[in-house]
Amino acid sequence: MKLASDKVIRGPERAPNRSLFYALGYTKEELDRPLVGVISAYSEVVPGHMMLDKLSDAVKTGVSMAGGTPILVPSIGVCDGIAMGHIGMKYSLPSRELIADSVETMAIAHGFDALVLVPNCDKIVPGMIMGALRVNLPTILVSGGPMLAGHMDDRSLSLSTMFEGVGAFKANLINAEQLEIMEKSVCPSCGSCAGMYTANSMNCLSEAIGLALPGNGSIPAVYSARIQLGKSAGMKIMDLLKNDITIKDIINEKSVENAIACDMALGCSSNSVLHLLAIANEAEVDLDLNKFNEVSERVPNLCHLAPAGPHHMEDLYHAGGVSAVLKQLLDKDLLHKDCITSTCKTVEENLKNQKVKNYNVIRNVYNPYSKTGGIAILFGNIAKNGCVVKRSAVDESMLKHEGKAKVFYSEDDAIEAIYGGKIVSGDVVVILYEGPVGGPGMREMLNPTSALAGMKLDTSVALITDGRFSGASRGASIGHISPEAAANGEVGLIKDGDIIQIDIPNHSINLLVSDEELEDRKKNVVLKKNEYKGYLNRYQKLVQGADKGAVLK
């Protein structure tokens, strides 16, 4: 079998290269084996990554057991929760591109024959997948797993509860002592935050798309089963290499559609739309926003995990995990069953013996929360290229809403108004210039949505933006509006007092002013520019719209 490492360490011409491997302590026997890059995002600043050193060691053990030589290399990773609410969040989505570039660079520069990706949180999962798709080697992903839910009094908590607690404190609904007790209770363990936020969404979708082994999406980070999964992934990568199954054999048009179906059934983060678009782009799969609505129309929403409901990731695990959700979809002929996966088996073969263990957590496919999926794409005169809402986390009373616009030109101005009591029932909060270019970086805005929820306004106030929201957001939070304000999109023409009509069931969002009025406003618009130096400056010049997955040109 011809290996990628042949051009790096084989033959007399590569004696200098081999000498450097010997300097690293490798033996001739190890260099005679396939070289497997284990790309770990371990760090001491991300709760979801603090244990990835142990998981990476488990992967390395598995690779060695199966006859490969594991080589650990690092990846960066931003903690979105720590970056939230300040300039640091502008770097979160752009970090996805840095991660993709680094995976591509390390894999090609060192001649790896296969890759095991070991991420866990938000942008790190899609970033690693994007980079791996560029080099198209046998690849498997094993993530760090979800955090356990916290507990306070008789309630189960997760990070979204904490952000909403700030809103409750500002509204004098809880006191400082209660806030402190909460902040020490919501995150009781390592792992990706316990709800169906972006990190867990992407870890579940990695399983649904076939790149991760069954169990990857839901086994809690602190369970020994997670270490066992790491060893299994290390061994299985050698089977993928032996059978010459590359990442592009696994990720294709059909498997991407399977991931979207799982997305709709689980009620994943709205950010999953951005990341699936970006992954499809690297896989050379033609995907646009209409596909999400198309799949949503036939796939029911089966789960209400936090923030949409009371359940957390550990509940999903004990109910049967992602495999149990997929089995229900398979039985209703809603999946492409013949897709090859990282097990070297098909989707149908993987799911043969799976079943739901708790129908309170995973609804029966014939008794769903809704007949349509958890995400909806809306179009209209202020979102000609579309926008995204996590429909499963919207109160039924807000699925259709008409209200007066209150316009802000940054997240900071909006949050100040919300905390200051300037937002009232019926309003539509409009936050502009937070898109991929306008931000730049399209920072997540969990603070304003959580403040509204904490103040009990999430069932009467809508929030729309050309930026994006955390997977922990709930309510009528409509993001990714494209074209964005900074690209002279119509959303930037909204004025205070304008009436905005939102109709989620019918996939529409419109500003109730005439076309002539919009044209007149566009003639006189002055675009705001947020200019930064360094990486954000380069990113701003290259990034495309949210409807394209915010990928770089």
Side-chain angles (χ1 to χ4, degrees), residues 12 21-22 33 46 106 184 228 249 287 383 418 430 434 458 480 482 492 495 502 514 535 540 548:
F21 276 94
Y22 291 136
R33 295 178 169 193
V46 185
M106 296 301 284
K184 293 178 179 178
Q228 294 162 353
D249 293 321
L287 178 66
I418 294 169
V430 181
E434 291 287 3
D458 58 300
H480 309 195
S482 185
K495 294 182 178 180
I502 299 166
S514 67
Y535 177 53
Q540 193 171 36
K548 302 294 184 185

Side-chain angles (χ1 to χ4, degrees), residues 120-143:
N120 204 26
C121 293
D122 297 59
K123 311 313 154 301
I124 300 89
V125 177
M128 284 194 184
I129 295 172
M130 290 162 65
L133 281 162
R134 295 176 191 172
V135 298
N136 195 29
L137 295 170
T139 303
I140 195 167
L141 182 146
V142 56
S143 60

Side-chain angles (χ1 to χ4, degrees), residues 173-229:
L173 298 175
I174 63 173
N175 58 36
E177 182 181 359
Q178 291 171 305
L179 185 68
E180 184 178 1
I181 292 171
M182 186 182 295
E183 72 185 65
K184 293 178 179 178
S185 304
V186 297
C187 298
S189 75
C190 61
S192 47
C193 299
M196 186 53 77
Y197 312 145
T198 307
N200 290 321
S201 294
M202 295 312 300
N203 288 327
C204 289
L205 297 186
S206 297
E207 184 177 335
I209 211 167
L211 191 62
L213 296 177
N216 182 78
S218 62
I219 297 172
V222 296
Y223 283 18
S224 298
R226 181 60 61 172
I227 298 296
Q228 294 162 353
L229 187 72

Side-chain angles (χ1 to χ4, degrees), residues 281-301:
N281 176 68
E282 297 290 356
E284 300 177 282
V285 170
D286 187 19
L287 178 66
D288 64 30
L289 289 174
N290 290 297
K291 174 61 73 172
F292 291 86
N293 279 345
E294 178 189 319
V295 175
S296 179
E297 286 304 306
R298 63 174 184 266
V299 177
N301 178 227

Side-chain angles (χ1 to χ4, degrees), residues 214-264:
N216 182 78
S218 62
I219 297 172
V222 296
Y223 283 18
S224 298
R226 181 60 61 172
I227 298 296
Q228 294 162 353
L229 187 72
K231 292 176 182 177
S232 295
M235 290 186 282
K236 189 55 66 175
I237 191 61
M238 299 307 296
D239 288 340
L240 291 169
L241 180 61
K242 180 180 178 180
N243 289 287
D244 195 26
I245 298 172
T246 70
I247 187 171
K248 283 190 176 180
D249 293 321
I250 292 173
I251 298 183
N252 51 49
E253 184 176 359
K254 288 183 177 180
S255 67
V256 168
E257 194 164 316
N258 283 349
I260 296 173
C262 183
D263 195 335
M264 297 302 167

